[in-house]
């Protein structure tokens, strides 16, 4: 996608204009705007290909190049974004697409038109399938746009060609464009479309960037215009007056300075410890976790080692990869989650039929039913690492299974992991069935970790990728909070650790609720940690308990959050901009 480069800023030359949208996360930024131009389209009068066979070769090469570049970007990133990019790359390599393109070439269309028409046919089929499959139309279109741009020779002044720091604006941000963002240059993201839980929001959270979505008219603003983005307020001010620029910059610097001051272990104001752990997928993430003085890793997503590969990694390759995370964390807890793939996150070497409801299909721990070797190899690799550690460190390697629904699954996994020499074994609680039976589950395990992302999805029967269902996916929904509370209560009753590693743990206000309920650890993206640390340290355990009590008593998500806000320290609310953000 092309980018219109900023040429000049315009402080004070035009009256400011305030555009509003939905703020995602917190934070403020001021910088010139870069507008990502819409991708080039096949010209309406494109002549038909003179030689369809040669045209097809060119098109195939374009698809290959796009697929390879997406796969390379996936490999260079992590987390949800890497998954999205990998899935997009696999679409570029789909041979069925070329068959369809060939048909359109034979019908007399030009190359770019043939690709556009073929992609449209696939998009219709994906939309007809509905649900999560339909969401992949965005990915398909992003592949189409890149291939068409190559065919038309319109590929791209990229963002990295632009000097200085800037705010990125786009109609929506395709995963492939998001992957190109350099967090040292991009200071905020603004889009016209997208939901607060959509791709853009995921990427912004991962990069720790302020973001406002659903801002009508942002792409019509001239490139280079100075804008002040306030994610807490959900506003973008064009041509902000100099005093606003000064105030916004001062606020950003003050927040950064205040957050940087505290690097101590997580604890309440009265000194009750709550371990602050990091969610990571790569060695780079682990470095970021070290930078924010995380007390360990609360969720190592091992998927990244597997996605994009044509064959399963060997036990030795796995051990090497896990060592890359364990070594920088020596002396600290590392919770390794076994593979959470299957269904809509297919692996090329997994021979699995497609499923009508992938989110409800064979994913996570359920893969043991069909491919037991995968889990066995992971546990063998981890067990070997544990066996090679000094005695004092062996208790630091914890392992947990994703998508556990029954006590039987928990017991089987625990037996298996312990047989491989891993001493501390647990499960994610992200299926309502597991939360409802948390006491029984914990009787089999040493700990559990609540995955609020999937727990919200399955409790509310709302696809976690669906931006238009964001009200249902709100993590303050009473039903979700009830299940979180029930799970933590089981841990408190049995004297076993219950952590939270979904997005809830990275929200400073929700963190107070979780601490008040008795969560023993909070695990989040490294970017979220300083604000959570500050919020927890500013409140006593008694105050956190009060917050939890009033929140659990609320009948809807907006009321729950507003009540938490009402009891939170006003200085923290002001500093972190918590008051103006959120669904209420
Ligand atoms: C969750 O579901 O909350 C979770 C942490 O796991 P993931 O986001 O990887 O599904
Ligand atoms: Mg999950």
């Amino acid at each position: 996608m092309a980018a219109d480069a900023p040429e000049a800023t315009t402080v004070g030359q035009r009256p400011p204009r305030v555009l509003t949208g939905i703020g995602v996360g917190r934070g403020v930024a001021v910088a010139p705007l870069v507008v990502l131009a819409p991708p080039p389209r096949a010209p309406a009068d494109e002549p038909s290909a003179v030689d369809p066979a040669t045209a097809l070769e060119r098109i195939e090469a374009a698809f290959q190049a796009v697929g390879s570049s997406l796969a390379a970007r996936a490999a260079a990133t992590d987390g949800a974004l890497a998954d999205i990019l990998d899935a997009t790359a696999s679409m570029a390599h789909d041979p069925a697409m070329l068959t369809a393109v060939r048909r359109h070439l034979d019908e007399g269309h030009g190359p770019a038109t043939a690709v556009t028409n073929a992609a449209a046919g696939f998009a219709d089929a994906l939309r007809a399938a509905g649900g999560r499959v339909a969401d992949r139309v965005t990915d398909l279109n992003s592949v189409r746009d890149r291939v068409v741009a190559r065919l038309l020779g319109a590929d791209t002044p990229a963002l990295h060609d632009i000097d200085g720091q800037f705010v990125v604006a786009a109609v929506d941000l395709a995963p492939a464009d998001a992957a190109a963002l350099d967090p040292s240059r991009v200071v905020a993201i603004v889009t016209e479309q997208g939901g607060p839980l959509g791709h853009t929001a995921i990427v912004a959270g991962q990069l720790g960037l302020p973001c406002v979505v659903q801002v009508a008219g942002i792409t019509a603003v001239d490139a280079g215009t100075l804008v002040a983005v306030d994610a807490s307020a959900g506003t973008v001010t064009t041509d902000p007056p100099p005093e606003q620029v000064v105030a916004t910059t001062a606020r950003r610097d003050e927040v950064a300075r205040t957050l940087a001051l505290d690097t101590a272990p997580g604890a309440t104001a009265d000194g009750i410890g709550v371990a602050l752990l990091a969610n990571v997928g790569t060695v780079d993430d682990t470095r970021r976790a070290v930078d924010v003085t995380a007390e360990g890793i609360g969720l190592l997503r091992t998927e990244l080692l597997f996605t994009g590969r044509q064959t399963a990694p060997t036990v030795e390759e796995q051990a090497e990869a896990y060592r890359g995370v364990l070594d920088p964390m020596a002396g600290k807890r590392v919770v390794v989650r076994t593979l959470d793939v299957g269904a809509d996150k297919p692996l090329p070497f997994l021979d699995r039929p497609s499923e009508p409801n992938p989110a409800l299909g064979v994913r996570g721990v359920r893969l043991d039913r069909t491919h037991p070797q995968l889990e066995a190899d992971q546990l063998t690799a981890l067990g070997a690492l544990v066996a090679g550690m000094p005695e004092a460190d062996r208790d630091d390697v914890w392992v947990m299974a994703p998508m556990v629904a029954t006590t039987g699954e928990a017991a089987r996994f625990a037996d298996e992991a312990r047989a491989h020499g891993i001493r501390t074994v647990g499960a994610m609680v992200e299926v309502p069935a597991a939360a409802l039976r948390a006491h029984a589950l914990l009787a089999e395990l040493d700990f559990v970790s609540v995955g609020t992302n999937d727990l919200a999805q399955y409790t509310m029967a709302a696809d976690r990728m669906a931006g238009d269902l964001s009200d249902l996916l709100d993590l303050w929904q009473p039903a979700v909070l009830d299940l979180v509370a029930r799970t933590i209560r089981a841990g408190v009753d049995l004297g076993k650790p219950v952590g939270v590693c979904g997005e809830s743990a990275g929200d400073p206000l929700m963190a107070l609720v979780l601490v008040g309920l008795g969560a023993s650890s909070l695990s989040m993206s490294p970017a979220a940690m300083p604000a959570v640390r500050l919020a927890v340290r500013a409140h006593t355990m008694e105050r956190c308990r009060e917050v939890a009590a009033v929140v659990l008593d609320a009948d809807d998500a907006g009321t729950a959050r507003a009540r938490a806000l009402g009891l939170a320290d006003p200085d923290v609310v002001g500093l972190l901009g918590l008051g103006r953000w959120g669904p209420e």
Side-chain angles (χ1 to χ4, degrees), residues 265-293:
T268 58
D270 48 338
I272 298 171
V274 182
L276 299 182
L277 309 173
N279 293 350
V280 303
T282 63
V283 174
D284 276 352
D285 280 351
T286 310
R287 268 187 226 112
R288 287 192 272 272
V290 172
D291 288 347
V292 295
T293 59

Side-chain angles (χ1 to χ4, degrees), residues 125-145:
L126 291 174
R127 272 191 216 97
R132 205 152 178 171
V133 177
D135 288 340
R136 301 205 62 196
V137 171
T138 317
D139 302 333
L140 175 67
N141 288 344
S142 133
V143 169
R144 174 204 61 196
D145 292 344

Side-chain angles (χ1 to χ4, degrees), residues 79-80 83 132 279 299 301 303 337 340 345 363 400 402-403 428-431 449-458 464 475 500-504 523:
D83 293 345
R132 205 152 178 171
N279 293 350
L299 169 61
R301 292 181 164 108
E303 294 82 77
R337 180 176 77 184
D340 188 11
K345 284 197 249 173
R363 62 169 282 201
M400 65 181 175
M403 291 294 295
M428 299 273 295
V429 170
E430 49 189 349
V431 177
S449 185
V450 186
T452 49
N453 310 339
D454 276 314
L455 188 60
Q457 154 166 275
Y458 294 122
R464 65 191 262 192
L475 297 168
V500 179
C501 66
E503 290 300 307
S504 292
S523 192

Side-chain angles (χ1 to χ4, degrees), residues 101-165:
V101 170
R102 156 121 242 171
R103 214 177 47 248
H104 289 286
L105 286 172
D106 288 345
E107 283 169 8
H109 294 293
T113 310
V115 169
T116 305
N117 292 352
F122 280 91
D124 286 346
L126 291 174
R127 272 191 216 97
R132 205 152 178 171
V133 177
D135 288 340
R136 301 205 62 196
V137 171
T138 317
D139 302 333
L140 175 67
N141 288 344
S142 133
V143 169
R144 174 204 61 196
D145 292 344
R146 277 152 193 280
V147 171
V148 167
R150 275 180 179 267
L151 294 172
L152 299 177
D155 209 16
T156 65
L159 285 174
H160 49 72
D161 295 335
I162 297 168
D163 288 337
Q165 293 195 313

